[in-house]
Amino acid sequence: MTSASHLTGEPPDGTPARWTLPQLLARNARDHAGLPGLSWQPADGDAGEPAGVRNGGWTTLTWAEIHEHTGRLAAGYAALGVGRGDHVLMMMANRPEHWLSDLALVRLGAVPVSVYGTAAPEQVAHIARNCRARIAVVEGTAQTTVWEPLLPDPGTPLERLVVVEEGAVGRHVPYAALLREPAEERFTEGLDAAGPQDPLTVVYTSGTTGEPKGVVLTHRQVLANARALDAVVELPPHVEHICYLPLAHIAERMLGIYLPCHRASHVYLCPDPAGVGAVVRKVHPAQFFGVPRIWEKLCAAVRAVLSLMPAEQREIIDAACAVAREHVGYRERGETPPAELAERYARAREDVLVPLLAAGGLDRVTWAASASAPMPLDVVDFWAGFGIVIMDAWGLTETTGVATTNSPRTGFRIGSVGRPVESVEVRLAADGEIEVRGESVFSGYLRPDGSVRSGLDADGWLATGDIGRTDEDGYLWLTDRKKEMIVTSTGKNVSPALVENALKEHPLIGQALVHGDRRSYLVALLVLDAEAAPAWAAANGVEADATVAALVRHPAVRAEVARAVAAANSRLSRSEQVKRYELLAREWGPATGELTPSLKLRRRVVRDKYADALSGLYED
């Protein structure tokens, strides 16, 4: 698999727009053969993992080894009947089998589709039917339990499962059996033949109804976004990346697969996001991307350590942080810090800040970023005190990830989401909705028959559903979400209507509002149904003459509502589940402002009216 015909790595006419991912892999195997490309820490019982060089607890494959291994793996998938244009589903953690299978399938001309490990069974079934995949690659017993019921389902084309963990294989195909030598000339001739307009992946994201939609992304769109990001980010050659977010998320697909292939960089796999801090401390990366919740957790950990230090030491650290924030202020304004300040900052970094950052593995960070949800400004300010400016970005799955970003190279405004990258144009509609078009904007949504439904207007613009404004320097500021989607602090998109409808399936719950934007979990306000509640009370031996206000406090009613919430949660994915709620007696209506005249929920009004109650649901 390392013949000259497969290592040319050159597009037909040499232009960047003609590149494909297999050509980048071939280039890396030729020009960066000995450089590390992928590292992971083997877990006990790993059976299908590839062999590589072990160093300090890490197993590593070079780019030449990645190219050879993905060729053998592609032959195994071809032997299962996977061919050009076929969709293959994957539900695994960030482990080598997931990462390498993704690239092997792309080399085969197939289309890898990663599915969140926390997806509800109904969502898994919908995705399987929508993309018409015949094969799913899953990790172990927990995943086979979800996927096996789909095999006999006549409405689902799924035919077989490939299982990574040996103990969970059962009657399914063992992943280890896929690796083989590609002996057939017919197979090798078809390898790496994808064109720039061919689909590279399908990423499923929730729509306003909560039903996942398959966003089709081509080689051209993905690599256009990669080039645009490189134009605004200054990083060392072959930079490290810690891959810990789910590969079903467009951010990690770009940062953890596509950009590393584009940059010939070094990916460290972290299968459990809860362990990312430990990996950061080992790797000391030069770049680090975290959704807001990750930065919040790291901030809390550092603050806990600082709180235990003697007062004199804290004063020294506080003084150094003040210097760093002053230095960041000049940079934010696009001004050169005075020489005297630059000298004080250099001393503060060397003597105080870098040793503290080194303890957490962040001492080498030159590019820190966040997206998926707005960053809390107090967290941004905290890290600025250590000289780390978190560059907030904005984009959608439909924009192949980042559409606008702050940049240490081209400028930043704390609180904004930056300016457009070069692969997109951004404009505001009359109502403030953000619209985008450009080279990295998606092809459309996948239909079950394999066709693609465009999401663009006649001039190629995508209405994003987000509301924003731009300032005089071209920075974009988000002000609202037109579609009212909730984005949690862990970066998960949640349709509030989907969750609210699940809660209201029980007759006792007449109205519901789900809340959780920028939070790590969802809470809800539930309104007891004024008509159904007395009837339920009478049928269940509760005082028939009790008022609705009294029923809200009754133990039997509260126990039944608790069961209703639990039942709704059982049908929802983990990110959609409601952790805490407040039960209310007074119904919402147009007269009191919570509903529009057409009886639609005015979310902002309800949130404002019940701000204290909602805040209380997040207090321990």
Side-chain angles (χ1 to χ4, degrees):
M1 290 311 301
T2 55
S3 65
S5 64
H6 287 99
L7 283 181
T8 57
E10 296 294 341
D13 58 7
T15 60
R18 297 294 298 169
W19 281 98
T20 64
L21 203 66
Q23 288 164 350
L24 291 177
L25 284 170
R27 180 208 63 185
N28 293 348
R30 181 195 65 205
D31 297 345
H32 311 294
L35 283 179
L38 182 69
S39 292
W40 67 94
Q41 295 175 296
D44 293 338
D46 284 353
E49 68 167 30
V53 175
R54 293 180 182 263
N55 180 26
W58 293 91
T59 298
T60 298
L61 293 180
T62 65
W63 280 107
E65 290 168 333
I66 289 169
H67 194 264
E68 188 273 339
H69 187 92
T70 54
R72 294 176 60 206
L73 198 52
Y77 280 113
L80 291 180
V82 178
R84 188 179 180 88
D86 289 339
H87 295 90
V88 176
L89 292 158
M90 295 188 289
M91 182 185 273
M92 293 175 276
N94 295 12
R95 53 189 298 159
E97 297 87 354
H98 195 163
W99 198 89
L100 292 163
S101 285
D102 203 289
L103 294 182
L105 291 165
V106 169
R107 294 189 64 188
L108 195 57
V111 183
V113 183
S114 292
V115 182
Y116 285 110
T118 57
E122 293 82 3
Q123 294 172 327
V124 172
H126 169 78
I127 292 170
R129 291 165 187 151
N130 180 254
C131 74
R132 312 297 293 173
R134 293 181 295 107
I135 292 176
V137 189
V138 301
E139 187 160 344
T141 304
Q143 292 76 31
T144 56
T145 302
V146 174
W147 290 87
E148 281 177 341
L150 297 178
L151 293 172
D153 180 359
T156 306
L158 196 66
E159 296 172 359
R160 64 178 74 184
L161 302 181
V162 176
V163 182
V164 172
E165 294 177 355
E166 272 188 345
V169 170
R171 67 182 186 276
H172 306 299
V173 179
Y175 178 89
L178 293 179
L179 288 171
R180 60 180 65 203
E181 293 300 328
E184 295 184 22
E185 183 178 350
R186 184 164 57 95
F187 164 74
T188 57
E189 285 179 353
L191 198 64
D192 302 336
Q197 298 296 344
D198 288 339
L200 173 55
T201 188
V202 176
V203 181
Y204 279 85
T205 183
S206 296
T208 55
T209 63
E211 187 175 79
K213 294 185 291 185
V215 175
V216 180
L217 299 174
T218 67
H219 291 258
R220 182 189 292 260
Q221 290 154 356
V222 165
L223 297 182
N225 190 258
R227 293 192 302 273
L229 288 174
D230 263 359
V232 295
V233 176
E234 198 163 4
L235 292 168
H238 315 298
V239 69
E240 315 87 353
H241 172 71
I242 298 173
C243 174
Y244 70 97
L245 295 171
L247 288 168
H249 195 295
I250 185 58
E252 194 62 270
R253 294 199 72 76
M254 283 301 303
L255 294 169
I257 301 179
Y258 305 138
L259 274 166
C261 291
H262 174 68
R263 296 168 173 165
S265 52
H266 186 181
V267 177
Y268 288 84
L269 295 177
C270 175
D272 183 0
V276 68
V279 177
V280 169
R281 289 191 292 273
K282 291 181 180 180
V283 174
H284 292 257
Q287 65 167 346
F288 185 72
F289 174 89
V291 294
R293 186 59 181 162
I294 294 296
W295 286 111
E296 290 169 9
K297 286 185 175 182
L298 292 172
C299 173
V302 175
R303 280 175 168 157
V305 172
L306 295 178
S307 68
L308 300 176
M309 292 181 174
E312 316 85 70
Q313 194 172 359
R314 282 294 308 274
E315 288 177 5
I316 294 171
I317 294 171
D318 289 345
C321 289
V323 172
R325 289 189 184 95
E326 186 179 359
H327 192 269
V328 167
Y330 275 90
R331 293 169 55 199
E332 182 180 12
R333 295 189 296 272
E335 302 172 2
T336 301
E340 177 271 337
L341 175 59
E343 184 179 342
R344 283 193 292 126
Y345 175 59
R347 286 200 307 270
R349 269 189 61 81
E350 181 178 356
D351 297 341
V352 181
L353 302 179
V354 168
L356 288 170
L357 291 170
L362 296 173
D363 51 307
R364 293 183 57 241
V365 169
T366 59
W367 181 76
S370 184
S372 294
M375 277 289 295
L377 290 180
D378 66 311
V379 176
V380 176
D381 183 66
F382 176 84
W383 288 110
F386 286 85
I388 294 178
V389 183
I390 301 173
M391 299 293 163
D392 217 350
W394 168 81
L396 311 170
T397 305
E398 290 89 340
T399 62
T400 322
V402 171
T404 68
T405 185
N406 287 284
S407 164
R409 173 184 284 178
T410 60
F412 62 91
R413 293 288 185 276
I414 292 174
S416 80
V417 291
R419 293 185 283 203
V421 298
E422 62 183 21
S423 62
V424 299
E425 301 173 70
V426 175
R427 73 179 185 184
L428 299 180
D431 63 354
E433 183 174 5
I434 305 166
E435 299 179 337
V436 296
R437 73 175 178 186
E439 197 177 5
S440 58
V441 176
F442 80 142
S443 300
Y445 299 107
L446 183 68
R447 291 189 178 107
D449 64 1
S451 63
V452 176
R453 173 179 63 84
S454 176
L456 312 179
D457 70 11
D459 296 319
W461 289 97
L462 168 69
T464 67
D466 284 346
I467 303 295
R469 63 178 178 84
T470 54
D471 63 21
E472 63 276 8
D473 296 315
Y475 287 90
L476 180 65
W477 301 73
L478 298 184
T479 57
D480 204 351
R481 287 182 173 82
K482 189 173 183 179
K483 297 178 182 178
E484 299 179 328
M485 292 291 289
I486 290 172
V487 182
T488 68
S489 65
T490 55
K492 297 293 180 64
N493 292 330
V494 177
S495 166
L498 173 73
V499 181
E500 288 156 2
N501 288 340
L503 292 166
K504 290 187 293 183
E505 286 184 15
H506 194 288
L508 276 180
I509 301 174
Q511 295 171 310
L513 176 130
V514 173
H515 178 72
D517 214 34
R518 313 185 197 187
R519 299 284 194 167
S520 58
Y521 59 87
L522 301 186
V523 299
L525 298 175
L526 307 178
V527 181
L528 206 60
D529 191 285
E531 295 179 1
W536 183 94
N540 287 272
V542 179
E543 297 91 335
D545 59 346
T547 64
V548 173
L551 290 175
V552 163
R553 299 188 297 271
H554 197 284
V557 174
R558 299 188 72 84
E560 184 65 17
V561 170
R563 284 191 286 270
V565 173
N569 282 340
S570 70
R571 300 190 299 273
L572 299 168
S573 68
R574 190 179 307 165
S575 59
E576 295 167 337
Q577 293 172 359
V578 171
K579 186 173 181 181
R580 295 177 178 175
Y581 60 90
E582 177 87 8
L583 187 60
L584 308 175
R586 186 177 63 81
E587 284 192 323
W588 300 326
T592 48
E594 298 95 346
L595 302 184
T596 67
S598 59
L599 304 183
K600 293 179 181 177
L601 191 61
R602 285 178 166 156
R603 298 182 182 279
R604 186 179 298 174
V605 172
V606 176
R607 287 196 299 265
D608 290 345
K609 282 192 173 185
Y610 294 91
D612 291 342
L614 290 169
S615 296
L617 292 172
Y618 288 101
E619 295 175 1
D620 294 328

